[in-house]
Amino acid sequence: MATSIDPLVLGRVIGDVVDMFIPTATMSVYFGPKHITNGCPIKPSTAVNPPRVNISGNSNELYTLVMTDPDAPSPSEPNMREWVHWIVVDIPGGTNPSQGKEIVPYMDPRPPMGIHRYIFVLFRQNSPVGMMVQPPTSRANFSTRMFAGYLHLGLPVATVYFNAQKEPASRRH
Amino acid sequence: MAIPMATATPTDSASRVWSMSSLRSALPSATTCRMPSSTSRRPVTIRLPVSSPSPLLLPSFSGLSPVNPLISTGLPDWKSFENGFKIIDGGGRVYAMRHGRRVPKLNRPPDQRKALLRGLTTQLLKHGRIKTTRARASAMRKFVDKMITLAKDGSLHKRRQALGYIYEKQIVHALFAEVPDRYGERNGGYTRIIRTLPRRGDNAPMAYIELV
């Protein structure tokens, strides 16, 4: 392989959920001791609680974080693409989502079938959002692009994703 | 792979001696040989002779290693079949017709055939539905079902067997994650073939094969 393919393109994150963008902020996501890199496998049991997210930037900027699953209910038949797990708005730069306003409460990954991608998308806000946004009526059939358009967020500034699959209930073999 | 040599099987040793000498004259160097098949109508038994190295190499060989009973040393043993020459007979029969042969050859030698089928099953498992010729579609059903059966089992050994067959390992991992839920109740018959219009360039009959 001569050139390195962007792992987001390789994992089809760019295309399925977001459009091609230039990352301008950095975001590091930790589930307990585990640092999330693109495409790393995470067990659902370690993702029960919301992760620790560190967002770069200065504190007068506000950010929005969205966590979605485009492979609901199964990657080969994503009828409910996307399933939104977490939306936090008005996060001041340089802090973590606990300082922001949680529109959609965190739901842990429960992939019923297949290997799902769980994507964290970070947007930079132009203005405080506050009361303007309504939480979506259902978590299914969410569209990150439309949500960003609705809040005039533009292209994302950072994205990371991980893979998870259902842990087998009992090891048969 | 040793090329089978068809000879009319004589029953007495004198004829055997005769066949060996004619063999020798036919061979430039005594490697595996092919004799033109005899015109006898009755089924002939395939004999697989063990290849012996050419006499030029032998002097350096035999001094170092114990004499292999299978290797003829180029001495009086040439004259008779029995001395040290084991006949390894696969027991296969060759007929003039194709009666009962069910393996589709797909106009390819065996290695290419295996590679073609591996590629086709990989692509079907990747895309869910592919369009190909009817012969290829009906030939690959067996192997797609085999891969799904391996995934249904789900153990590490089966996973490694699948990894040895399918060209992309992401597909194997996705397969092993999805198949138990998707095909758990279905017993066999994981594919469906739908015939379509012939291909324009060569009028080959085409078909869609898809995962049920």
Side-chain angles (χ1 to χ4, degrees):
Chain A
M1 300 295 276
T3 55
S4 61
I5 304 176
D6 186 10
L8 296 174
V9 174
L10 199 61
R12 305 272 185 85
V13 169
I14 292 182
D16 285 345
V17 179
V18 298
D19 300 314
M20 191 73 204
F21 67 95
I22 314 277
T24 50
T26 54
M27 167 173 67
S28 50
V29 183
Y30 293 89
F31 274 112
K34 253 186 118 50
H35 176 242
I36 304 293
T37 55
N38 278 324
C40 68
I42 299 285
K43 288 192 196 166
S45 54
T46 62
V48 172
N49 295 318
R52 205 179 74 225
V53 184
N54 293 333
I55 302 172
S56 67
N58 44 10
S59 48
N60 54 3
E61 293 170 330
L62 295 174
Y63 292 90
T64 298
L65 178 70
V66 177
M67 174 177 166
T68 71
D69 170 15
D71 298 326
S74 110
S76 46
E77 281 157 35
N79 301 321
M80 299 198 267
R81 170 174 287 183
E82 311 150 13
W83 185 280
V84 61
H85 282 260
W86 200 24
I87 301 182
V88 189
V89 298
D90 289 340
I91 308 170
T95 60
N96 50 16
S98 60
Q99 310 288 320
K101 190 162 158 302
E102 198 178 57
I103 306 293
V104 175
Y106 178 78
M107 187 180 109
D108 64 318
R110 281 170 224 156
M113 201 155 75
I115 301 179
H116 291 223
R117 298 165 288 171
Y118 292 92
I119 306 171
F120 292 96
V121 191
L122 189 71
F123 297 93
R124 185 176 287 133
Q125 292 172 215
N126 301 321
S127 55
V129 165
M131 289 293 118
M132 243 181 61
V133 64
Q134 298 276 21
T137 43
S138 86
R139 290 180 184 256
N141 295 111
F142 180 77
S143 168
T144 308
R145 288 188 180 101
M146 282 179 42
F147 182 75
Y150 172 58
L151 290 182
H152 308 289
L153 294 172
L155 290 176
V157 295
T159 305
V160 77
Y161 81 100
F162 66 92
N163 288 330
Q165 58 176 331
K166 185 170 75 165
E167 289 170 67
S170 61
R171 296 299 300 169
R172 290 183 299 140
H173 302 275
Chain B
M1 205 191 276
I3 303 170
M5 176 187 72
T7 51
T9 46
T11 48
D12 53 322
S13 54
S15 309
R16 254 180 230 155
V17 171
W18 167 84
S19 68
M20 277 312 296
S21 55
S22 69
L23 219 199
R24 267 184 72 210
S25 58
L27 298 176
S29 61
T31 48
T32 53
C33 64
R34 184 207 292 276
M35 255 184 75
S37 52
S38 55
T39 55
S40 65
R41 298 265 174 232
R42 59 189 168 84
V44 290
T45 313
I46 306 276
R47 298 258 163 208
L48 295 171
V50 177
S51 63
S52 49
S54 63
L56 293 169
L57 293 174
L58 270 180
S60 56
F61 246 123
S62 56
L64 296 169
S65 57
V67 176
N68 194 330
L70 292 176
I71 295 177
S72 169
T73 53
L75 298 176
D77 298 340
W78 275 107
K79 300 242 176 58
S80 108
F81 231 120
E82 274 100 13
N83 250 351
F85 231 103
K86 296 274 191 319
I87 298 167
I88 298 175
D89 187 348
R93 325 198 87 193
V94 81
Y95 290 89
M97 298 144 283
R98 195 190 58 92
H99 287 186
R101 298 199 209 161
R102 300 181 51 193
V103 173
K105 296 223 248 159
L106 301 175
N107 293 324
R108 278 167 170 79
D111 52 343
Q112 272 192 45
R113 193 187 312 152
K114 181 172 177 186
L116 172 68
L117 289 167
R118 280 175 75 178
L120 282 171
T121 57
T122 304
Q123 293 301 310
L124 177 64
L125 293 172
K126 183 171 178 176
H127 293 107
R129 176 200 288 186
I130 59 174
K131 179 165 147 181
T132 172
T133 65
R134 275 185 214 165
R136 291 178 196 171
S138 77
M140 66 188 270
R141 284 178 300 176
K142 174 178 170 184
F143 298 98
V144 175
D145 286 356
K146 229 181 214 333
M147 288 299 116
I148 294 185
T149 308
L150 288 182
K152 261 191 176 178
D153 184 291
S155 64
L156 175 63
H157 178 56
K158 299 283 187 281
R159 187 182 287 258
R160 285 183 173 166
Q161 284 183 318
L163 283 166
Y165 191 81
I166 293 180
Y167 282 123
E168 294 176 37
K169 68 176 197 174
Q170 292 302 325
I171 295 176
V172 173
H173 296 315
L175 192 72
F176 273 69
E178 285 222 21
V179 153
D181 296 301
R182 208 166 143 187
Y183 293 119
E185 286 85 35
R186 191 179 286 268
N187 292 324
Y190 308 113
T191 60
R192 174 183 295 135
I193 292 186
I194 303 165
R195 294 175 293 175
T196 55
L197 296 169
R199 187 159 58 187
R200 181 175 176 258
D202 55 358
N203 208 32
M206 300 296 276
Y208 281 107
I209 177 167
E210 60 184 18
L211 293 171
V212 155

